[in-house]
Amino acid sequence: MRRTLLTLTLASILAGCSGHGAKDQSKPPAQVGYIVAAQSTVPVAVTLSGRTVAFETSEVRPQVTGVIAKRLFAEGSYVKAGQPLYQIDPSLYRAAVNQAQADLTSARATAEAASAKADRYKPLADMEAVAKQDYADALATARSARASIAQNAASLDTAKTNLRFTTVPAPISGRIGRSLITVGALASASQTDPLAVIQRMDPIYVDMQQSAAEITALRRRLAAGGVIQGSTTVHLNFDDGSRYAYAGTVQFSEVTVDEGTGTVTLRAKFPNPDGLLLPGLFVSAVFDQANDPNAFLVPQNAVQRDFDGSAYVMIAGDDGKAVRRKVVADRTSGVSAVVTSGLQRGDKVIVQGLNGLKQGTEIKAVPSTTPQEVKPKSGKPGEAGGAGAKGH
């Protein structure tokens, strides 16, 4: 009798253990959420460092020599083209005009007398009352006098031009800097330094530097059809991370490479109505240099990294198991990672339930948009009710 009871007890224990093992083996697969990979056209954005350059720059230079009598502008102000900036002492040049005017008047009087003499000699020479040589000499003198009138008229024009140059005007409209010469200083038409510098800053240029190797690689991809031409619209970022309010446009790219830096200069033009951008300012230019029509956009959390930095994603396989797939994802676009290699259209990329997920793990894959079931917490009788349950 005692042996029978012992046998039944051992059988009960073994049955309990066997039931517990079956329960562990029937553990359900982990549920994960996935998205279906689809190709899309993704801009290839580049960020280049650059500096602002004035749209126009003009050096104010004297064209005649003389002492600066007046400065006619406020330093740092906006000046218009043709506005007087400096006044050079005009005394000598005004005297030269008067002298040229007197010389011209004298030449005209001489020409009139010579022409009248030649006219009187003509009928006399026809009647042989005077020698024909005398008439020829009188005619030549009259022509020489008329030529003298033209010479003196040109001298007068030159004198008037020099007198006009004693007022130094602004060659272009723009913001003028500090005066590089003072009143009372001698200005010379042959001096190397300008009197002042005017810069037009609306619009304004931004010169960007890009590696020649990057441009060559881009041109090869464009030629092969790997990417298509992007937009010419450019945005500027300041050092503090803020963005300039106005967008610009790429104007052209240099055709030569800087031998010292190995870069090519790209120039963009920006509106600058508020004068916020000053020449020489360091900025970062961002624009879509090309578009990749064969890229995949996946959430950034779906792209994981190995110890060597290589990227991979987890794919929901058709056999109900997780598959580890290496990809190339070297940039981002907004909140998504841009995958340029390793994915195929229709792949189920796991984006939810990635914690602890490994190659070959059995999974239950559902679309990431599937609502998740919230299971109520199970507890022993009396625990869910708290103190009230214990009261009964």
Side-chain angles (χ1 to χ4, degrees), residues 96-97 100-101 103 149-162:
V97 169
Q101 183 67 59
D103 291 342
I149 291 176
Q151 291 176 347
N152 284 277
S155 298
L156 178 61
D157 288 341
T158 300
K160 289 181 176 179
T161 300
N162 289 335

Side-chain angles (χ1 to χ4, degrees), residues 202 233-238 243-249 269-277:
D202 183 25
T233 302
V234 190
H235 296 277
L236 291 185
N237 293 330
F238 296 108
R243 172 159 288 190
Y244 183 56
Y246 301 94
T249 306
K269 185 171 71 172
F270 287 81
N272 191 28
D274 304 325
L276 181 62
L277 298 179

Side-chain angles (χ1 to χ4, degrees), residues 61-72 84-97 158-169 187 195:
R61 292 184 175 276
Q63 298 189 62
V64 294
T65 300
V67 175
I68 299 295
K70 295 180 182 178
R71 175 166 62 85
L72 306 174
L85 301 178
Y86 294 94
Q87 179 62 60
I88 296 175
D89 184 4
S91 302
L92 293 177
Y93 298 97
R94 187 175 293 115
V97 169
T158 300
K160 289 181 176 179
T161 300
N162 289 335
L163 179 61
R164 188 176 73 251
F165 283 161
T166 58
T167 300
V168 182
L195 304 180

Side-chain angles (χ1 to χ4, degrees), residues 181-195:
I181 195 169
T182 61
V183 173
L186 178 65
S188 172
S190 60
Q191 68 183 49
T192 57
D193 295 329
L195 304 180

Side-chain angles (χ1 to χ4, degrees), residues 293-318:
N294 302 313
F296 295 87
L297 291 178
V298 299
Q300 293 187 31
N301 68 295
V303 179
Q304 303 179 72
R305 299 284 175 179
D306 275 331
F307 292 107
D308 61 355
S310 60
Y312 69 91
V313 296
M314 301 302 293
I315 304 295
D318 296 335

